[in-house]
Amino acid sequence: MATIDEILEVERLEKNIFRGIATETTLSRTFGGQVAGQALVAAVRTVDPQFAVHSLHGYFLRPGNTTMPIVYLVDRIRDGRSFVTRRVSAVQDGQAIFTMSASFQVSESGIEHHDAMPVVPPPDNLPFARDSDDPEIARLAREWSDWDIRMVGDGEVDRRRGMAAQQQVWFRSRKTLPDDPVFHVCALAYMSDMTLIGSAMTPHKDVQINGASLDHALWFQRPFRADEWLLYDQTSPSAGFGRAVAQGRIFDRGGNLVAAVVQEGLTRFLREE
């Protein structure tokens, strides 16, 4: 499997045109986090370093072909004094498979607050995902072998009253990543698609579905490192009509809320052939 360094090392073909590698995978279509992470790298390469990415909003339009590289076309929508906006289209075989808007901001001061981190067992007290009896969790560990993934057990999830579906996951890169903060932001964009829509399935464990990411939004709140433990607190407030909404809050081990995520995914019943 390709490392996160290889995945995020997109090649510049022209001023606003980039190409990301195809990676070995057990998935039938390109992992959505790979497309989002590479698209964000392409956008970052067109922005002055004084602007830091603070949000992205993406739509998955078509399944990606895992055997083909992806070309990223960047549109420089706006260059302002405080904010910069980029639009990125990911293309394979002449068709857009993903489109994303990314917003960047200079460092500024304002009010501050954040939610408290859920009370869950520390990652060191949880089993490796690869040792799980759940075949889906074990598959995650094999596919993302460069990442240490620890699922919080059903009986240890910090449950909040009125929540329809919850799931909590610790994760981090197994190896030390470059110090560049932008790399960690793009790595989190990659990993934020991992396990999130699975939170919608926690009340439906025996149901077989055809699942896929439909759209994805991510807001970066505070600095973090993706090679240090991050807690992904996930909920699914609603599912219906073959789709589910999932929300995520990502905390560092110190309890700081570093990112927020919202995703809608396909969750329709698996069709019989």
Side-chain angles (χ1 to χ4, degrees):
M1 301 293 181
T3 66
I4 190 65
D5 309 66
E6 294 168 333
I7 291 167
L8 297 182
E9 187 55 45
V10 299
E11 177 188 5
R12 189 170 218 144
L13 302 179
E14 243 286 358
K15 182 177 181 180
N16 298 318
I17 304 175
F18 301 82
R19 181 169 57 200
I21 65 168
T23 63
E24 180 185 354
T25 179
T26 61
L27 304 178
S28 60
R29 51 180 168 251
T30 306
F31 173 51
Q34 175 180 329
V35 186
Q38 290 180 340
L40 187 57
V41 172
V44 166
R45 298 272 180 90
T46 69
V47 175
D48 189 285
Q50 69 173 314
F51 292 90
V53 59
H54 74 87
S55 70
L56 64 85
H57 299 254
Y59 284 89
F60 297 93
L61 307 176
R62 294 179 177 88
N65 185 331
T66 61
T67 66
M68 294 178 61
I70 304 172
V71 173
Y72 297 92
L73 311 176
V74 181
D75 191 359
R76 302 180 184 229
I77 300 296
R78 178 175 183 265
D79 288 276
R81 287 182 302 217
S82 297
F83 290 89
V84 166
T85 306
R86 295 290 184 262
R87 184 168 56 218
V88 185
S89 296
V91 178
Q92 278 185 329
D93 197 24
Q95 292 186 313
I97 65 170
F98 175 76
T99 183
M100 181 189 78
S101 293
S103 183
F104 300 76
Q105 182 187 15
V106 294
S107 180
E108 297 183 288
S109 299
I111 63 170
E112 290 192 28
H113 65 257
H114 66 79
D115 289 347
M117 185 172 73
V119 179
V120 297
D124 304 325
N125 293 355
L126 297 172
F128 293 106
R130 66 171 180 263
D131 299 329
S132 175
D133 294 330
D134 185 323
E136 179 62 20
I137 294 174
R139 183 191 67 80
L140 286 175
R142 291 193 300 272
E143 178 68 28
W144 288 278
S145 57
D146 273 0
W147 297 84
D148 193 344
I149 303 168
R150 312 281 182 103
M151 308 293 296
V152 177
D154 287 345
E156 298 176 299
V157 170
D158 186 358
R159 302 199 178 276
R160 300 190 290 282
R161 184 177 179 180
M163 293 290 179
Q166 288 184 252
Q167 179 173 269
Q168 287 153 349
V169 185
W170 287 100
F171 70 92
R172 68 174 177 181
S173 170
R174 291 185 181 278
K175 67 174 187 176
T176 301
L177 299 178
D179 289 332
D180 181 5
V182 175
F183 186 95
H184 292 264
V185 164
C186 295
L188 187 60
Y190 173 87
M191 285 300 288
S192 65
D193 187 43
M194 186 273 302
T195 75
L196 181 55
I197 204 63
S199 63
M201 298 308 299
T202 56
H204 314 281
K205 291 187 180 296
D206 297 325
V207 178
Q208 297 295 311
I209 65 160
N210 180 11
S213 303
L214 296 175
D215 64 355
H216 194 81
L218 177 58
W219 294 265
F220 300 97
Q221 303 290 312
R222 290 171 180 82
F224 62 89
R225 290 188 64 95
D227 52 8
E228 296 177 353
W229 284 115
L230 297 170
L231 177 68
Y232 206 166
D233 177 44
Q234 305 167 342
T235 65
S236 176
S238 180
F241 304 96
R243 293 172 286 112
V245 173
Q247 301 171 337
R249 302 180 303 166
I250 300 177
F251 296 85
D252 66 18
R253 191 145 187 195
N256 300 298
L257 180 62
V258 302
V261 192
V262 176
Q263 182 181 90
E264 186 179 45
L266 185 70
T267 54
R268 66 188 177 204
F269 292 131
L270 193 64
R271 296 171 179 170
E272 294 184 4
E273 297 295 335

